[in-house]
Amino acid sequence: QCTAALMFNVRKDAEETLGALRVDPDIEFAAVYTRDGALFARYWQPGNAQTWSPPSQPEGHRFGIDHLVLYRNIIVNDRQVGAVLIRSNLRKLHTLVFRYLSAAGLVLAISLLVTYGVVSRLQQTITRPVMDLVRMMEGVSQRKDFTVRAKQTSKDELGALANGFNEMVVAIQERDRDLNEHRRDLERTVADLKNSTKELQEANAKLRD
C-alpha cells in the first residue's frame, strides 16, 4: 500500500497508510524507508515515539524480550524501492503464556491431589493389608504364635490371600497339636516300657536268688 507513495514521493499518503495501524493497540511503531535506508514515513503510539534505521540483517523478524520487530523489503518489478518496519509489543503473548502456565499449574495441582488420593486409597486397600499380613507371618515364623488370624476386609484377591493365610495357620496349629499329642503318647509308652523293664529286671533278680 506504500508502494505508490514511495515511487511518487508522497510522504503524506504513506503516513496515512501507516496511521491505519492505530486500530491495533499492540503496534508501537511502524516506519517506511526509502531504497537508500532514509526514513520516509512513520507511525507511533502515543508515548512510543522512536526513530529506527532499517536493520542491517536481511529482511525477516526478530523477537525481543517484550517486542517483535518485522522488517520487509518493498519490491516492484523485481526491484527494491524501499522497506517497511513494524514493531509490536508482546503483551497479548505474555498474557496468553501466563494463562497457559496458570492452567498447566492448576492441572498439575489437581493431578497431584488425584494421585495422592489414589495412592492413599491403594495404601488403605492394598499396601496396609499386605503389610499387616507380612507382620503376622513374621510372628508365626519367629514367635511360633499360631493363634493370629488375618482380617478378611474384602472379597477380592487380598481377601482370598488372608483366607488362605488363616487356613494355613489353622492347619499348622492342628498339626502342631497332633504332634504334641503323639509326643505325649510316646512319652507315656516309653514310661510304661521303662516300668515293665524294671519289673522284669526285678523278677529276673528274684529268680536268680
Side-chain angles (χ1 to χ4, degrees):
Q1 294 181 4
C2 295
T3 301
L6 272 172
M7 295 182 67
F8 293 102
N9 197 25
V10 184
R11 188 185 306 269
K12 182 179 179 182
D13 290 349
E15 290 180 345
E16 289 179 354
T17 300
L18 294 179
L21 296 174
R22 67 173 55 91
V23 299
D24 189 343
D26 293 325
I27 296 179
E28 299 175 342
F29 178 81
V32 174
Y33 300 93
T34 64
R35 183 179 56 185
D36 299 329
L39 181 65
F40 181 73
R42 66 177 180 174
Y43 158 80
W44 65 87
Q45 263 189 3
N48 290 296
Q50 300 183 50
T51 300
W52 294 315
S53 298
S56 58
Q57 68 255 32
E59 63 175 350
H61 61 274
R62 304 193 314 274
F63 276 98
I65 297 177
D66 59 352
H67 66 272
L68 166 66
V69 175
L70 178 69
Y71 179 67
R72 288 286 186 271
N73 293 326
I74 299 176
I75 306 297
V76 177
N77 296 326
D78 297 329
R79 184 173 66 91
Q80 181 181 355
V81 297
V84 60
L85 181 147
I86 299 176
R87 170 176 169 139
S88 174
N89 63 60
L90 300 177
R91 284 193 295 264
K92 288 183 179 179
L93 179 61
H94 291 167
T95 301
L96 187 62
V97 169
F98 177 76
R99 289 177 181 174
Y100 283 154
L101 290 177
S102 300
L106 181 61
V107 171
L108 179 61
I110 294 175
S111 300
L112 289 175
L113 289 175
V114 172
T115 303
Y116 177 77
V118 171
V119 170
S120 299
R121 180 65 177 174
L122 288 176
Q123 184 177 9
Q124 292 178 358
T125 58
I126 298 178
T127 307
R128 187 173 299 172
V130 170
M131 293 304 297
D132 291 342
L133 193 58
V134 169
R135 283 192 293 269
M136 292 179 188
M137 294 174 65
E138 291 177 352
V140 171
S141 62
Q142 295 175 4
R143 298 187 299 271
K144 308 302 179 183
D145 183 8
F146 301 112
T147 61
V148 296
R149 297 292 184 272
K151 294 181 179 179
Q152 189 174 359
T153 58
S154 61
K155 296 183 179 180
D156 54 7
E157 289 81 1
L158 287 175
L161 182 62
N163 188 40
F165 173 79
N166 291 334
E167 292 177 354
M168 179 190 68
V169 173
V170 169
I172 294 174
Q173 189 177 22
E174 292 177 351
R175 187 196 64 181
D176 190 63
R177 185 172 57 250
D178 293 339
L179 288 174
N180 288 332
E181 291 179 357
H182 288 305
R183 181 177 56 81
R184 287 193 294 269
D185 292 340
L186 288 174
E187 288 176 352
R188 286 194 296 266
T189 302
V190 170
D192 293 339
L193 288 174
K194 286 182 178 180
N195 291 332
S196 298
T197 303
K198 185 178 179 181
E199 291 175 356
L200 287 173
Q201 289 175 350
E202 290 177 353
N204 288 332
K206 290 179 179 180
L207 289 173
R208 286 196 298 268
D209 294 340

